[in-house]
Amino acid sequence: MIADHNANQSKAQPELVALFVSDTHLNPALPLTTVAFLSFLDKQAVQAKALYLLGDLFEYWVGDDNIDDPYNASIVHALRKVHDQGVQLYWIAGNRDFLIGRDFSAATGAVLLEDPTVIDLAGKKVVIAHGDAQCTDDHAYMKFRAQVRQVEWQKTFLAMPLDQRKKIIEGLRTESKMEQKQKSVAIMDVNADAIAALFQQTGTSTMIHGHTHRPAIHSSGEKTRYVLPDWDCEDQDKRGGWLAAYSDGGIKTYNWDGTLK
């Protein structure tokens, strides 16, 4: 009887349906963060049916013609390894890596999704997004976002020599850091009306996004919004993590080292 009871308990364990992660900001200047993320792929991601990458996986992406850069290639290879073990990869662009395209998709096996996208999660409709499009109080950023997401702008930019694009991106990163110091915390967060509109437009009651670097679970009535953390494991106060969704409808959040929050 005890053996049968244990077997039934084992069968009753909910299945890991999907993992969600964003804002790792991977680049060669963050070696410990890179190691932590690769460990997540190797130990955690391979256990899920699906892995959703919700933007800003890379600190910057100048175009798919830079995919053979040794650092980029190492991340692409690690993602492909997860895919080849039977995990479906999904990608939503962030504000740092929105130039990722078909070559990246082909190399990793990741399906490129629109932002936002409604998915089925254990029988429930959930809207996923990067989160920057809902930061509507930051008028300067929204204007910039509208410009760089235009097809013609991207075609013109990607036609430039690779070295020139890297210099432009580096200049934009420096400018962005300076502007962030002058902006209020509220401006750089999502707008409540924009979030409410997204819930209404998609007919969902659960939302998962990143971008703001303010991990939290916001509940209001029947609606719940999960905000993913950014990653930085270079200093003593390491941060990062992911969200896990299970077949019974349960959702749990984990720290960068796999411990339950």
Side-chain angles (χ1 to χ4, degrees):
M1 292 295 293
I2 294 178
D4 290 341
H5 176 68
N6 289 338
N8 290 334
Q9 278 191 323
S10 178
K11 292 180 181 179
Q13 291 297 317
E15 188 176 13
L16 180 57
V17 174
L19 296 176
F20 300 81
V21 65
S22 71
D23 298 280
T24 51
H25 294 273
L26 299 175
N27 70 90
L30 300 178
L32 297 181
T33 304
T34 302
V35 168
F37 179 72
L38 292 176
S39 177
F40 158 74
L41 292 181
D42 186 53
K43 297 178 181 178
Q44 308 295 334
V46 294
Q47 300 180 37
K49 284 189 172 183
L51 171 62
Y52 289 85
L53 306 165
L54 300 189
D56 285 0
L57 180 70
F58 295 94
E59 173 66 5
Y60 60 91
W61 190 266
V62 298
D64 282 3
D65 55 344
N66 197 40
I67 202 169
D68 292 329
D69 169 87
Y71 181 84
N72 292 341
S74 69
I75 304 301
V76 167
H77 174 74
L79 291 171
R80 185 72 200 197
K81 184 179 178 182
V82 172
H83 172 273
D84 289 347
Q85 293 185 64
V87 181
Q88 180 61 66
L89 304 184
Y90 296 98
W91 173 277
I92 283 183
N95 53 295
R96 301 278 184 166
D97 47 19
F98 57 87
L99 290 173
I100 277 178
R102 293 178 180 177
D103 290 347
F104 176 89
S105 175
T108 60
V111 176
L112 306 185
L113 301 177
E114 294 293 327
D115 184 1
T117 287
V118 175
I119 64 172
D120 181 281
L121 202 58
K124 186 176 184 178
K125 287 175 61 180
V126 175
V127 60
I128 57 175
H130 177 58
D132 61 326
Q134 286 68 49
C135 295
T136 54
D137 291 327
D138 191 344
H139 301 300
Y141 171 70
M142 294 305 292
K143 183 178 179 180
F144 171 78
R145 186 183 191 276
Q147 178 188 31
V148 300
R149 295 304 179 96
Q150 293 177 4
V151 174
E152 288 304 318
W153 185 95
Q154 293 186 11
K155 284 183 178 179
T156 300
F157 182 79
L158 292 173
M160 297 177 183
L162 183 59
D163 288 342
Q164 182 180 357
R165 277 179 273 150
K166 288 181 178 180
K167 290 179 181 179
I168 292 174
I169 292 294
E170 187 58 38
L172 290 173
R173 289 174 63 204
T174 301
E175 184 178 335
S176 176
K177 290 178 181 178
M178 293 178 63
E179 289 179 350
Q180 286 177 11
K181 293 179 181 180
Q182 300 173 0
K183 294 178 180 179
S184 69
V185 172
I187 285 179
M188 293 187 291
D189 202 354
V190 294
N191 175 278
D193 290 339
I195 292 296
L198 185 55
F199 272 128
Q200 184 176 18
Q201 291 164 7
T202 58
T204 58
S205 59
T206 303
M207 183 184 304
I208 303 171
H209 72 82
H211 179 67
T212 63
H213 298 190
R214 298 184 180 102
I217 302 174
H218 302 275
S219 296
S220 178
E222 297 180 352
K223 293 179 172 58
T224 304
R225 177 168 62 94
Y226 297 88
V227 185
L228 300 170
D230 67 310
W231 290 53
D232 188 344
C233 300
E234 304 307 309
D235 301 318
Q236 185 174 355
D237 296 326
K238 296 177 173 59
R239 65 178 186 270
W242 60 87
L243 182 149
Y246 296 88
S247 57
D248 62 352
I251 293 179
K252 297 180 180 179
T253 56
Y254 292 84
N255 295 304
W256 65 274
D257 59 356
T259 56
L260 189 65
K261 286 188 177 181

